[in-house]
């Protein structure tokens, strides 16, 4: 069956712009979580959605937001981009309830 | 929040050698996963192992939940085993999902 799909794979944006990233989970998975990976901070949890509700949130500013649709697809939005937002953004899906999470290939965002 | 520490941070071995990677966590958990990050950045699932021992080919993992650590064993290393290995546990309780990661072990297997 198809894995977790993230689009786009690569993005270049200018400081001050906003960006939207997309994540399509494995069929049947209702939990989608997002992560930011940078060389300095490593892999950090952003937020988690289950059945269109944000259940969990990491320690990131309000410029980072997300949503989940009724088909479990999720989007992540970053407004007023800063140079420090350059990172690999990963999403994962699972059945929920602390079951095994599977990751997409990531979106590599560069802010110039 | 829960703290996850991985050791060693870097490991350089010759092809054919065995290795043990360790993951310590600061609180009880009901989920632990090991991942291998490939050169393109994707996290590849190795083990979902809240407790006990599992084996998959040359790789095996053991989690001792009561002592708050997990070990990943790689036997007869191959150059393709190179990369970064992460362990991850739940970010918080309360029924919501999401993972906290260690900083990883960077493994280099030399031919």
């Amino acid at each position: 069956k198809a894995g977790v799909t993230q689009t786009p794979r690569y993005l270049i944006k200018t400081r001050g712009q906003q960006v939207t990233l997309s994540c399509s989970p494995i069929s049947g998975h209702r939990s989608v979580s997002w992560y930011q990976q940078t060389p300095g901070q490593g892999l950090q949890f952003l937020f988690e959605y289950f059945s269109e509700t944000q259940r969990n949130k990491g320690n990131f500013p309000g410029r980072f937001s997300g949503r989940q649709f009724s088909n479990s697809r999720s989007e992540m939005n970053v407004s007023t981009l800063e140079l420090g937002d350059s990172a690999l953004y990963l999403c994962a899906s699972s059945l929920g309830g602390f079951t095994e999470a599977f990751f997409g290939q990531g979106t590599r965002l560069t802010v110039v | 929040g829960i703290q996850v520490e991985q050791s060693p941070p870097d490991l350089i071995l010759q092809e054919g050698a065995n290795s043990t990677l360790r993951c310590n966590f600061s609180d009880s958990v009901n989920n632990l996963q090991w991942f291998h990050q490939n050169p393109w950045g994707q996290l590849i699932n190795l083990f979902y192992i809240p407790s006990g021992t599992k084996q998959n080919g040359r790789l095996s993992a053991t989690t001792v939940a009561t002592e708050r650590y997990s070990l990943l064993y790689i036997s007869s290393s191959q150059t393709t085993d190179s990369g970064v290995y992460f362990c991850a546990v739940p970010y918080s309780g309360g029924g919501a999902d999401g993972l906290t990661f260690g900083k990883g072990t960077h493994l280099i297997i030399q031919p």
Side-chain angles (χ1 to χ4, degrees), chain A residues 31 35 37 43 45 48 55-58 88 96-98 100-105, chain B residues 30-31 33 35 37 41-43 45 48 86 90-92 95-99 101:
Chain A
S31 172
Y35 303 83
Q37 186 176 28
L43 271 159
F45 170 70
E48 185 255 355
R55 299 193 302 178
N56 213 351
K57 191 175 190 305
L88 177 66
F98 302 117
E100 188 172 5
F102 297 87
F103 281 78
Q105 294 178 295
Chain B
N30 48 17
N31 171 9
Q33 290 189 242
F35 299 93
Q37 189 164 39
Q42 186 170 10
L43 290 170
N45 288 40
Y48 170 79
F86 291 100
Y91 181 78
S92 64
D97 289 85
L99 297 170
F101 285 81

Side-chain angles (χ1 to χ4, degrees), chain A residues 82-103:
Chain A
E82 300 177 0
L83 296 179
D85 297 333
S86 295
L88 177 66
Y89 290 89
L90 294 162
C91 82
S93 78
S94 76
L95 292 169
F98 302 117
T99 54
E100 188 172 5
F102 297 87
F103 281 78

